[in-house]
Amino acid sequence: MAGSTASRTESVEPAVPVAVAGDEPPPFAWRPVAVLAAGIAALLAATSGRYDYHRDELYFRQLGRHLAWGYVDQPPLTPLLARIATAVLGDSVWALRVPCLLSVVATVFVVALIARELGGGRTAQVLAAAGVLSVFPLISGHVLLTSTVDLVIWSVLILFVIRALHRDAPRWWLAAGTVVGVGLYNKHLVVLLLLGLAGGLLLAGPRRVLRSGWLWAGVALALVIGAPNLVYQATHDWPQLAMAEALRRNKGDEARITLVPFQLILLGPLLVPVWVAGLVSLLRNPALRAVRALGVAYPLMCVLLFALAGQPYYTVGLLLALYAVGSVATARWLAAGGPRRWVGTVAVVGANAVLSAVMAIPVLPLPVLAQTPIPAANQTVADQIGWPAYVRQVADVHRMLPPDERAGAVIVTGNYGEAGALDRYGRGYGLPRAYSGQNELYRQGPPPESARTVVVVGGFSDAYLAARFASCVVAGRLDNGVGVDNEEQGLPVRICRDPRGSWRELWPRFQHFD
């Protein structure tokens, strides 16, 4: 009986992962992985037009019309994707989310390939791919964020690093360097992953890799590919360092407090045992010694994030890779057990997928959403609610102005979401251009010197505005009409007159990074 169980186990999953160069990994499970990817794509496509733009999407849409090698708060790739999507598919929320869908579908295949690379057969590959049906990957697949592209960039980079180390095939460092170079155009966070991997190689080996000419050729290739973006940063006094410092001041304490809890919810609490199994396998399984650095990289990266007050979700790409490694161990555990293990695992993964979908993407009608804790728990959802209503209410205040005053009035907003919504919907109400001092939009100001009347939108304090205008009165308040509490809900819309100085003098006092 024991012999038949061992035989069945060996036929379903290899006893150990592929360990030496030249060994062929198991066949890729194209059909089930493709079916799963198609299902995820269908789910995202069906919900992509629900609710409204996220505030970051409204911002990227604006930046996409002013393409550059970089911006004060980010590299150019995500705004470029927004520009391409809207130019090709039309100026709609659905079009803006096509790159998200494609990115997540690509990630499904890549994480399955990571499991395959470490000896995972059909079960492990499908289980790894199912990890994308989790909280943060679904958020990234629904909303165009910088993390959307980072998810696939990090996954591909980790796959190539595994191939270089596990196969002892150093030419893969060139492919890894290419991915890093491209990744620098999306977000410089890929450097944190590289630091974690370098620390892992120093602590866990194989240290000889650090002397490899192929690795340093990959580093050089990354620098060459990423050079234009790096040159932009250097010639503009490294604005992203100023941005990082502002985030540390404004959100650093919160980021440190939530770092550990976030690790438990990024893929969903139900999947924690799988990625923990992956981490333990990397650190303890002798067959995975060549890629042990990947396991060491995770705690090192968490320490770096704590020290730098980085956002806790920055680890999600690495967590997804750990989950893929854990899927290999889980598949072997399933093959060695009975039907109960299979039923329990399918139930857990399925429940996590359902809960994640409800939390991450707009599957609930708006009236129902307002009665749930989801907007409070997931700010990404709350930030998609109410933009058309808010713009209409700003237009109502604008129409209150006497005709001669209205003709020369401008709008100033507290953040780029409000400015982006007015840019997207304001033209239909005949609204003038909206200005904001936040991040890159600051560079698109100041308002014209002729503007003596300003409709001010957002959470500015009375003292803040009194120092900049002779008079301000509250003329309305924003209300999304569905009872969802978000950053804009309940904020005043003011009419302010007679700026205390020229706009050229005043505009630097409106600038803020956050």
Side-chain angles (χ1 to χ4, degrees), residues 198-330:
L201 288 171
L202 282 171
L203 293 173
R207 296 183 184 89
R208 59 180 173 78
V209 171
L210 297 172
R211 301 191 297 271
S212 168
W214 289 104
L215 183 145
W216 291 104
V219 171
L221 187 58
L223 291 173
V224 169
I225 294 172
N229 179 246
L230 297 176
V231 168
Y232 171 88
Q233 289 291 318
T235 56
H236 288 75
D237 298 324
W238 299 98
Q240 290 219 301
L241 294 180
M243 184 70 196
E245 174 60 21
L247 289 175
R248 186 194 65 79
R249 288 196 310 268
N250 297 334
K251 301 179 179 179
D253 291 342
E254 179 185 351
R256 289 189 174 104
I257 292 170
T258 58
L259 177 60
V260 172
F262 254 77
Q263 305 312 298
L264 305 179
I265 63 174
L266 285 173
L267 301 184
L270 295 177
L271 298 190
V272 170
V274 180
W275 67 256
V276 169
L279 180 60
V280 172
S281 294
L282 287 169
L283 297 177
R284 298 184 60 182
N285 188 345
L288 297 179
R289 174 174 290 277
V291 290
R292 187 162 292 170
L294 192 64
V296 177
Y298 175 68
L300 288 179
M301 188 172 174
C302 288
V303 171
L304 279 173
L305 287 177
F306 186 85
L308 299 172
Q311 295 303 301
Y313 67 84
Y314 290 169
T315 61
V316 67
L318 188 50
L319 269 183
L320 200 55
L322 295 180
Y323 175 84
V325 178
S327 296
V328 180
T330 302

Side-chain angles (χ1 to χ4, degrees), residues 51-71:
Y51 301 172
D52 201 65
Y53 295 92
H54 183 270
R55 69 173 64 252
D56 286 3
E57 292 175 311
L58 291 165
Y59 181 50
F60 297 144
R61 177 184 167 276
Q62 278 194 281
L63 294 189
R65 299 204 305 273
H66 304 274
L67 294 177
W69 284 109
Y71 306 97

